[in-house]
């Protein structure tokens, strides 16, 4: 017979400060969690409008692509030797976006950072759709998209195989792996929540569909046991994976000789940038969601604050990388590098470079102020700036390098064409189309995990906080320290 | 339990799809192996080669001198067919005969040579334009025509014998051409027996040997 | 190649054989199921084998030099023109214009048959109609015994034709015949005739110790440029002993850019300088240094130095080739200097001179004709070859005169400005379809023979004339020949046998039917009217000439060797002047003279005198087909009717005012930066340095990187270079890369050397590459990209000429980079270095390892291979390439169904069947003419032997009139390239990148002032 | 006839008590349901550690082997030299090996979870009540018919909100 301790009166004693950051004062019971999160799924006019717009953008981009396939890449803005342009820029941009999701859901999980709990599902979905978007661009940008399957190693009567020394083949492997693993990660995380929805659902058709999706999950203890274990291992796999993916993407550049590309700093630099941009996108997405779905008491300001600190940290890393690049160029005494970097900031491409530097290095410094960190409006504005800045970071890496290479005779400029811009816009349409469909059909906040940080009902009354610093609840036995005065 | 069946079905379909893809990729599914076409003149190879014993090079005169095997000029046909007409009366007990094919030929070769019309033969063996296949190199290396073109002497109507896939070419280049097999294909069993110990003749398999 | 003449025509069977080999088609989208017909011969011609080329020797008709050519004919289609190695003028080389003759032959805008003007428009007609009409008008003229009012204007060409027409005219009792040559330097010819007794003496640059050219652009088309270039390059190849070259002129032409020193003089002051030099050398004469200095604006010091040098350096070579009204006097002075300096017979060889060029008429004669026409004194006018409406200034009133001629008969095969104004068009065969002759040097008869059947319903003008004559009782008697072939045959000394030999060799003994040339040289000069603070310098374009080249896409696409601008006209203006007028690159400038004005974008150029602006001829066509029409401006519109002593239009010295017009257009230029930024790409050293053995002049390496000391030769070990330093030979199976592999491929290493002291930047190699490798031209109006969505009309497409080049998308596998050295901060003189840049076939190629599908990789014989049909078009290889020599098919230039198709019928008949035509979305680049390598291997195999040293070479090396390019197998000592790569001047571009290139450049050798012996 | 009993609990400590009681009374065949994993339940049940790690290990090893193998085998199948590098160079192939390891490893982990926790289940109705995915905890006890009464009592003592028979 478990005997329960002297109850702790609400308000009495100081709650654990660290845990205070992530606990949800506004949430009393499991019922409330189910009710409120499931409640977000009801479609609204605004949602339909947004979805419509996204689909229009997507169709526009798709049309542009068809046009380009028929009439040739010449209709894009390429200006040799600038052989890569908006498409590769946007590819790297979207891949980068993806990284925050995995970081939040996997790495922070391993680090037991509790504030991830309420935002990770959203971030994870973002990852999957971002990678889905990014994955299109290598196909869009090649001259003969209909031959793309040649990059996939499969037995064929030509007896020819891909070149496994090519960074593009590494890309194929890294990105397909990344897409598969993050999609799996998202889905298995969803299973218990789908089960919740299944059992709340009244419409038989939807119920059956959800039943299939939930794979007959029933919240039994053995299921949870294996689930937790699997989740741990997936997280353990995703962590090196996410680091490897953007390193591989950075190899696309580092493996070529072009000045400004051929440098060893790229992998860490790219990974940090990716996470930075991803968190930017998370803000762009989560802030409107918590506002319009009225989830401020679940996705609390504390969570945003914590995420903002992460953004600040990555921003500092990225900024440092920028500065080191210039230092390396100077220190190497390699005149190609020096000429290129001079041209980057003070020459032809100064404007792009300064957009990048201000958006990624200067503005984020504002996050040192707690007031701004806790101001969702500012975070939202900043997040837009970060997205812009990170797109231009890739622009600055790709275009100026190619336009100002070894051969002065071949120096050139670059102006995107309407096709580039249409497909860029289309990619946003495509991404938000999927995301919007997601948030109205599946819980955008992880029900089961939120329940973890909600105190369970007890025969006696609940304690104020049963959550420790890690965001995981502490055992509920009298011996547990920190629970009483 | 209906759901169980549907699950099984789904995975089954998936497996089949994958298998099909792999197979089609590996077998030269994109090849036009086996196609045969109706020619403007229904030229019977068996009659000329098997019965009259004409040599391939008599008509395909540049196969040993040029990348291009060459096609018989109308004049070449008319060398014989000015005498051998389509219609032949019955003589010495042999019944009279009227050969459609020869008439087809004659319809192109009416009157004096300057009134003749060229015969629009239809191509059967077609390599993509980005492949360079120098006939003379192969013929001079002793590769019998039948090795690639199959038993043309027996074909009433010529069809594409080999797949002409890249893998098909490369296999021979790498493993080497066995004279005995070639002769056997050409129907020279004696020669084949004699050539059993001839070393297979390899050819370069660098991409730029054929693709440029 | 020798054969009985009676089968000549049959062996040129064309249409009946087309398709009997797979004509080159695109690499992409070939459906194997497509029904394809094979059309064999009717009667198998002897001596030709389908799929195997036959070569015919003939004569090039693109300029007066009449070089010998070899036409490669495959299955009845001429696919390539090369120089005739035995020919005394061009010795196997051929310039860009000569090679582009093919695109004249296959020009899509040629007249398909005779045309007659019906209600103001030219409409197709039959030959009988057309000829009947002409005959009728002639008879009318005769009837009213105004036969003298029948006149003939022809394009002058080296050979019998001009004289043949003279005879025809006199036989018919008609008026005078003008053999018009708008480009030739008639003034110099007249002066030479007067001074040397030879219109065009042979020049031996190698024998000279100092070359002084007074505006004589002997590399840009002044005289026989190929011959000059061969000799000049040989002279420069003497390195330390090479002659120093001083160029005097207002504009630094291609020739000027090859000079060691440029003396920039005011246009029109050349005569003063020439006279001063004459005085200095001969001791007698009117000119003085002081006078010259004031006239020319050159410092007395530098003129004095030149004079002293000229006096000291014997033998020397002085050339006068200006285009001012007193050009003939300049040429005369130059000739007299040569006489005084004892150069005649040493560097100037009158008795080996060009022959058969006599009797050419200049613009002056046509202006006179125009006056007659305006007076209504011309009733029938025959025009053959010449295009006076485009080449004469409006001030000559030629067009107005033409309107007053009742019957204008054109033999032109192209719808040019003149033929479009004519009433009857009797389209002539192209030179490659017709018979003719030339006399390159006295006593040698070059034979021009048809290399294939005529494409269209055309007739050789000469045959038409013979036909008319034989049908005409008055003339028939004097025409025993059935056709012009028989006439040509009759010119051969020993008749039939010699002719038969000539048919095989393209050369024979004999002499052309010469015109009686009674040219006496004027001793005075016209004065040039008009005022303005500037001089307008007009000059023929090295590629387009005065306009005849403009309808050939190869020549339009060929960047001007000096300005590197294509598909455009431009105004050259000096930086200081530009700064003064506030003009920036591309600003539209209006150049106004007394006669008229032209407006074109500004090109800021160091090599133009600050008081002058220059505009090239050739563009500004109002007709002349899809490639020429409406591009640029015609500079003669701004010229008055002033002529030099030879009767040629005076191109320079016209006074002009220059004003900024509104608007600016980007220059269609292939030039990124004209400066090397100290990157040691095109390197040079002075003769002194070379003599003293110091070579490490501009060597450029990473700081502290000792591993890149300069080493001559191929850095990568031959034969297994594919493994480079990195590969461990024992690491894994090297397959065909193993030196002992049965295929033996790894025992060769194809390599190339390019001697920058020979290269003059003439760009013949570029055109040769286009012709050999089916490279699409991308500058035509219809080849631009889409500018906005949802367009149906033309307006949606970018129809700017050269739109693709503005986007940097030119496809030239081989480009000539032109780098300037010096000339900053106000110094007049500067140095120019030309660097042919092509795929370097690196041993450790950065492009290869990044390709995901092995579309580019390293072949065992050292080639960097590009497999078009494997390429998926990631363009990663181009990003990896430090030399930027990979080119991408942005549109379906090679696909018939695309609007950007580069080979509209019948241009596609020129495509080389041995080379795949690339479709859209694939990367392409220089292959070291791998098809020629394979071809040589096939030949060797057929003859059961190995490929012999220097047995074959690449298209660029073959065409090069400077012999600057040497190609071969560097792995075997017997190939000359193997010796070349060891030259002390050798270096690799960007060697510090460890690419181990297979192309070795040999440094240029300069001879600065006072640097000579 | 009754297979077992389903008891629903709205409080966590009640559930914990029930579990301990059931164990005390030697009821071995019962399944616990919880809306979210709680350590209390683990402590009460002391279950063995999941076997999933085996799937992960084997999957990962297969993956990395296949990754290296495909890269090296294809390189030597048709040796083509690029950029002067060794034909089969293991350094770049490490990336392939790593990515395939992650892919196969992760998938086999999930596969393991499915096997071990018997999903996908074709039916989840037996011994399960929909509210277990909602707010309430629950226990499903299977016992011999004669012990059912005792079981029910035990469950109710611990404070079950409801106990129903499962047929």
């Amino acid at each position: 017979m478990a005997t329960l301790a002297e109850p702790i009166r609400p308000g009495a004693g100081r709650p654990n400060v660290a845990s205070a950051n992530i606990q949800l004062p506004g949430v009393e019971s499991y019922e409330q969690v189910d009710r409120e999160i499931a409640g977000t799924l009801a479609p609204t006019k605004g949602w339909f409008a947004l979805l419509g717009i996204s689909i229009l953008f997507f169709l526009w981009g798709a049309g542009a692509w068809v046009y380009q396939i028929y009439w040739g890449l010449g209709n894009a803005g390429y200006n040799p030797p600038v052989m890569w342009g908006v498409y590769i820029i946007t590819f790297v941009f979207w891949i980068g976006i993806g990284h925050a999701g995995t970081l939040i859901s996997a790495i922070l999980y391993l680090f037991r950072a509790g504030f991830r709990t309420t935002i990770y599902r959203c971030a994870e979905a973002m990852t999957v759709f971002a990678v889905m978007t990014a994955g299109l661009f290598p196909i869009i940008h090649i001259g003969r998209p209909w031959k793309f399957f040649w990059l996939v190693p499969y037995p064929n009567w030509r007896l020819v195989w891909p070149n496994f020394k090519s960074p593009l083949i590494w890309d194929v492997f890294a990105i397909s792996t990344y897409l598969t693993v993050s999609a799996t990660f998202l889905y298995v995380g969803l299973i218990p929540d789908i089960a919740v929805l299944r059992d709340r659902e009244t419409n038989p058709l939807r119920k059956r569909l959800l039943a299939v999706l939930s794979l007959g999950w029933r919240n039994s203890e053995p299921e949870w046991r294996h689930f937790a274990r699997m989740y741990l291992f997936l997280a353990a796999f995703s962590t090196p994976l996410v680091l490897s993916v953007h390193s591989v993407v950075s190899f696309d550049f580092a493996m070529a000789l072009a000045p400004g590309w051929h440098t060893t700093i790229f992998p860490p630099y790219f990974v940090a940038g990716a996470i930075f941009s991803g968190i930017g996108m998370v803000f762009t997405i989560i802030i409107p969601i918590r506002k319009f779905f009225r989830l401020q008491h679940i996705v609390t300001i504390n969570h945003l604050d914590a995420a903002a600190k992460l953004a600040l940290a990555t921003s500092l890393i990225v900024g440092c990388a920028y500065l080191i690049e210039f230092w390396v160029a100077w220190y190497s005494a390699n005149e190609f590098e020096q000429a290129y970097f001079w041209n980057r900031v003070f020459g032809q491409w100064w404007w792009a470079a300064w957009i990048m530097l201000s958006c990624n290095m200067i503005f984020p410094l504002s996050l040192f102020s707690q007031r701004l960190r806790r101001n969702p409006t500012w975070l939202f504005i900043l997040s837009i700036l970060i997205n812009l800045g990170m797109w231009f970071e890739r622009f600055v890496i790709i275009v100026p390098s190619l336009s100002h290479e070894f051969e002065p005779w071949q120096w050139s400029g670059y102006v995107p064409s309407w096709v580039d811009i249409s497909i860029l816009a289309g990619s946003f349409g495509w991404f938000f189309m999927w995301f919007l469909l997601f948030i109205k059909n599946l819980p955008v906040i992880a029900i089961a995990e939120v329940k973890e940080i909600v105190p369970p009902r007890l025969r006696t009354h609940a304690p104020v906080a049963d959550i420790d610093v890690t965001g995981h609840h502490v055992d509920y036995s009298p011996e547990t320290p920190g629970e009483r005065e | 339990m209906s759901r169980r069946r549907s699950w099984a079905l789904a995975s089954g379909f998936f497996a089949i799809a994958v298998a099909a893809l792999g197979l089609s990729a590996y077998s030269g599914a994109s090849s036009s192996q086996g196609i045969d076409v109706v020619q403007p003149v229904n030229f019977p190879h068996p009659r000329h080669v098997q019965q009259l014993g004409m040599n391939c090079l008599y008509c395909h005169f540049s196969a040993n001198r040029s990348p291009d095997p060459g096609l018989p000029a109308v004049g070449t046909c008319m060398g014989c067919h000015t005498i051998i007409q389509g219609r032949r009366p019955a003589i010495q007990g042999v019944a009279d005969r009227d050969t459609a094919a020869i008439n087809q030929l004659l319809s192109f070769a009416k009157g004096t040579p300057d009134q003749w019309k060229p015969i629009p033969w239809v191509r059967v063996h077609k390599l993509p334009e980005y492949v360079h296949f120098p006939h003379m190199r192969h013929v001079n290396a002793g590769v019998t025509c039948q090795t690639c073109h199959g038993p043309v002497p027996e074909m009433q109507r010529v069809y594409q014998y080999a797949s002409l896939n890249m893998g098909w070419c490369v296999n021979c280049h790498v493993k080497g051409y066995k004279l005995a097999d070639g002769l056997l294909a050409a129907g020279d069993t004696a020669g084949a027996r004699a050539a059993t110990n001839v070393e297979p003749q390899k050819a370069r398999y660098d991409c730029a040997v054929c693709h440029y | 190649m020798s054969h009985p003449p009676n089968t000549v025509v049959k062996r040129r069977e064309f249409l009946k054989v087309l398709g009997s080999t797979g004509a080159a088609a695109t690499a992409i989208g070939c459906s194997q199921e497509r029904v394809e017909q094979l059309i064999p011969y009717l009667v198998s011609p002897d001596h030709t084998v389908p799929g195997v080329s036959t070569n015919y020797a003939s004569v090039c008709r693109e300029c007066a030099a009449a070089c010998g050519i070899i036409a490669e004919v495959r299955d009845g289609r001429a696919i390539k023109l090369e120089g005739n190695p035995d020919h005394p003028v061009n010795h196997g080389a051929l310039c860009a214009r000569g090679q582009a003759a093919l695109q004249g032959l296959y020009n899509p805008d040629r007249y398909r048959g005779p045309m007659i003007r019906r209600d103001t428009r030219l409409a197709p007609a039959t030959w009988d109609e057309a000829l009947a009409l002409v005959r009728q008008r002639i008879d009318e003229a005769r009837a009213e015994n105004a036969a003298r009012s029948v006149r003939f204007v022809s394009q002058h060409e080296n050979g019998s034709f001009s004289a043949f027409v003279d005879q025809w005219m006199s036989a018919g009792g008609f008026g005078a015949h003008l053999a018009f040559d708008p480009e030739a330097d008639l003034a110099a010819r007249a002066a030479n005739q007067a001074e040397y007794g030879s219109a065009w003496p042979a020049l031996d640059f190698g024998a000279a110790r100092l070359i002084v050219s007074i505006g004589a652009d002997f590399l840009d088309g002044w005289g026989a440029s190929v011959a000059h270039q061969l000799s000049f390059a040989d002279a420069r190849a003497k390195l330390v002993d090479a002659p120093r070259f001083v160029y005097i002129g207002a504009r630094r032409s291609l020739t000027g850019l090859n000079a060691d020193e440029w003396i920039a003089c005011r246009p029109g002051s050349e005569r003063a300088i020439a006279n001063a030099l004459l005085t200095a050398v001969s001791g007698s004469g009117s000119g003085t240094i002081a006078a010259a200095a004031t006239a020319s604006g050159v410092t007395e010091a530098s003129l004095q130095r030149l004079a002293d040098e000229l006096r000291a350096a014997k033998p020397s070579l002085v050339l006068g080739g200006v285009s001012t009204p007193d050009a003939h006097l300049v040429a005369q002075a130059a000739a007299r200097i040569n006489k005084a300096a004892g150069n005649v017979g040493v560097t100037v060889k009158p008795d080996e001179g060009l022959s058969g060029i006599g009797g050419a008429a200049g613009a002056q004669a046509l202006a006179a004709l125009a006056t007659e026409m305006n007076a209504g004194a011309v009733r029938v006018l025959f025009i053959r070859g010449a295009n006076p409406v485009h080449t004469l200034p409006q001030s000559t009133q030629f067009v107005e005169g033409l309107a007053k001629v009742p019957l204008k008969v054109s033999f032109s095969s192209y719808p040019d400005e003149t033929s479009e104004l004519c009433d009857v068009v009797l389209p002539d065969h192209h030179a490659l379809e017709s018979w003719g002759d030339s006399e390159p040097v006295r006593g040698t008869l070059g034979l021009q023979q048809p290399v294939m059947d005529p494409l269209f319903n055309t007739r050789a003008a000469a045959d038409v004339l013979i036909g008319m004559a034989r049908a005409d009782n008055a003339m028939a008697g004097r025409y025993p020949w059935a056709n012009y072939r028989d006439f040509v045959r009759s010119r051969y000394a020993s008749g039939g046998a010699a002719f038969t030999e000539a048919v095989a060799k393209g050369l024979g003994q004999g002499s052309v039917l010469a015109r009686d040339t009674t040219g006496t040289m004027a001793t005075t000069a016209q004065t040039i009217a008009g005022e303005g603070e500037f001089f307008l310098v007009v000059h023929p374009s090295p590629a387009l000439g005065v306009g005849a080249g403009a309808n050939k896409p190869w020549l339009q696409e060929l960047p001007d060797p000096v300005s590197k601008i294509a598909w455009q006209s431009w105004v050259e203006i000096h930086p200081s002047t530009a700064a003064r007028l506030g003009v920036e690159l591309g600003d539209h400038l209006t150049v106004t003279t007394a006669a008229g004005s032209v407006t074109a974008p500004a090109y800021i150029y160091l090599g133009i005198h600050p008081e002058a602006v220059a505009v090239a001829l050739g563009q500004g066509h109002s007709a002349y087909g899809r490639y020429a029409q409406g591009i640029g401006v015609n500079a003669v519109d701004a010229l008055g009717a002033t002529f030099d002593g030879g009767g040629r239009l005076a191109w320079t010295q016209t006074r002009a005012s220059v004003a900024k017009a509104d608007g600016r257009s980007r220059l269609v230029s292939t030039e990124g930066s004209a400066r090397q930024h100290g990157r040691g790409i095109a390197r040079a050293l002075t003769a002194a340095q070379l003599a003293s053995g110091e070579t490490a002049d501009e060597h450029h390496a990473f700081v502290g990187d000792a591993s890149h000391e300069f080493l001559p030769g191929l850095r990568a070990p031959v034969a297994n270079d594919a493994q480079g330093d990195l590969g461990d030979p024992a690491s894994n199976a090297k397959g065909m890369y193993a030196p002992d592999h049965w295929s033996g491929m790894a025992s060769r290493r194809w390599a190339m050397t390019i001697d920058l002291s020979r290269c003059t930047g003439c760009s013949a190699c570029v055109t040769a590459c286009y012709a050999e490798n089916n490279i699409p031209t991308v500058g035509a109006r219809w080849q631009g990209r889409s500018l906005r969505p949802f367009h149906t009309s033309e307006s949606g497409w970018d129809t700017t000429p050269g739109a693709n080049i503005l986007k940097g998308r030119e496809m030239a596998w081989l480009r000539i980079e032109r780098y300037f050295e010096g000339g900053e901060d106000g110094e007049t003189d500067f140095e120019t270095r030309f660097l042919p840049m092509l795929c370097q076939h690196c041993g450790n190629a950065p492009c290869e390892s990044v390709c995901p599908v092995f579309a580019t990789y390293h072949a065992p014989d050292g080639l960097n291979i590009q497999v078009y049909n494997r390429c998926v078009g990631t363009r990663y290889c181009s990003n990896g390439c430090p030399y930027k020599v990979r080119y991408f098919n942005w549109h379906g230039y090679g696909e018939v169904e695309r609007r950007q198709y580069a080979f509209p019928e019948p241009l596609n008949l020129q495509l080389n069947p041995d080379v795949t035509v690339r479709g859209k979305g694939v990367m392409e680049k220089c292959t070291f003419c791998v098809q020629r390598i394979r071809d040589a291997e096939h030949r060797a195999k057929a003859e059961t032997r190995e490929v012999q040293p220097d047995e074959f070479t690449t298209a660029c090396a073959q065409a090069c009139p400077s012999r600057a390019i040497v190609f071969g197998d560097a792995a075997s000592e017997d190939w000359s390239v193997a010796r070349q790569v060891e030259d002390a001047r050798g270096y690799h571009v960007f060697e510090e990148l460890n690419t181990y290139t297979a192309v070795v450049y040999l440094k240029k050798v300069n001879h600065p002032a006072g640097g000579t012996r | 006839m009754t297979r077992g009993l389903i008891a629903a609990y709205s409080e966590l400590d009640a559930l914990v008590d029930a579990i301990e009681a059931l164990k005390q009374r030697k009821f071995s065949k019962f399944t616990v349901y919880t809306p979210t994993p709680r350590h209390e339940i683990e402590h009460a049940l002391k279950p063995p550690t999941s076997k999933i790690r085996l799937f992960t290990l084997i999957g990962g090893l297969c993956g990395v082997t296949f990754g290296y193998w495909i890269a090296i085998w294809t390189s030597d199948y048709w040796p083509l030299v690029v950029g002067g590098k060794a034909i089969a160079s293991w350094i770049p192939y490490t990336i392939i090996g790593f990515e395939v390891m992650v892919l196969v490893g992760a998938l086999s982990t999930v596969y393991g979870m499915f096997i071990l926790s018997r999903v996908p289940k074709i039916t989840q109705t037996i011994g399960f009540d929909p509210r277990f995915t909602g707010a309430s905890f629950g226990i499903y006890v299977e016992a011999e018919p004669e012990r059912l009464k005792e079981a029910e009592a035990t469950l109710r003592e611990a404070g079950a909100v409801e106990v129903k028979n499962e047929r």
Side-chain angles (χ1 to χ4, degrees), chain A residues 71-76, chain C residues 783-786 797 804 809 888-895 898 900-901 918-921:
Chain A
W71 283 111
L73 271 181
N75 297 308
Chain C
Q783 291 179 292
R785 66 194 223 283
S786 137
W797 297 94
N804 279 316
R809 294 172 179 178
F888 189 71
N889 283 271
W890 296 104
H891 299 284
Y893 305 124
E895 299 170 27
R898 303 266 169 261
Q900 289 92 351
Y901 187 50
R918 285 75 57 186
K920 91 175 172 301

Side-chain angles (χ1 to χ4, degrees), chain B residues 166 205-212, chain C residues 736 854 857 865 867, chain D residues 78 80:
Chain B
M166 177 169 164
Y205 51 91
D206 182 51
C207 312
V209 168
C210 311
H211 298 300
Y212 50 85
Chain C
M736 55 189 177
F854 283 120
Y857 72 97
I865 299 293
V867 185
Chain D
W78 189 327
L80 290 173

Side-chain angles (χ1 to χ4, degrees), chain A residues 20-28 32 297-298 300 302 453 455 464:
Chain A
N21 289 340
I22 52 167
Q23 64 182 244
L24 312 173
V27 186
E28 274 84 27
Q32 189 191 354
H297 58 294
I298 293 180
T300 65
N302 293 331
I453 59 171
V464 174

Side-chain angles (χ1 to χ4, degrees), chain B residues 79-93:
Chain B
C80 304
H81 284 284
T82 37
I83 300 134
I84 303 158
Q85 291 294 329
R87 168 139 210 89
R88 191 193 66 187
I91 35 168
Q92 304 159 358

Side-chain angles (χ1 to χ4, degrees), chain C residues 900-940:
Chain C
Q900 289 92 351
Y901 187 50
F903 311 100
E905 282 280 346
L907 269 181
N908 58 344
L909 298 184
Q910 180 275 330
L911 292 172
N912 182 351
D914 295 340
V915 178
T916 311
V917 178
R918 285 75 57 186
K920 91 175 172 301
V922 303
M923 193 58 84
E924 60 183 67
K925 65 161 191 72
C926 162
T927 61
F928 266 176
C929 285
V930 61
Q931 68 278 9
R932 289 181 173 223
I933 299 177
R934 298 290 167 253
D935 189 48
E937 286 166 351
H938 293 335
R939 255 184 282 113

Side-chain angles (χ1 to χ4, degrees), chain B residues 66 68 75 121 123 137 206 212, chain C residues 20-21 38 42 50 857 916 938:
Chain B
S66 158
D68 175 4
W121 297 105
R123 185 189 270 275
R137 285 298 289 271
D206 182 51
Y212 50 85
Chain C
S20 89
T21 58
L38 300 172
L42 286 175
Y857 72 97
T916 311
H938 293 335

Side-chain angles (χ1 to χ4, degrees), chain C residues 97 216 345 406 488 707 721 844 928:
Chain C
R97 284 164 73 178
V488 169
S707 70
D721 64 299
N844 293 347
F928 266 176

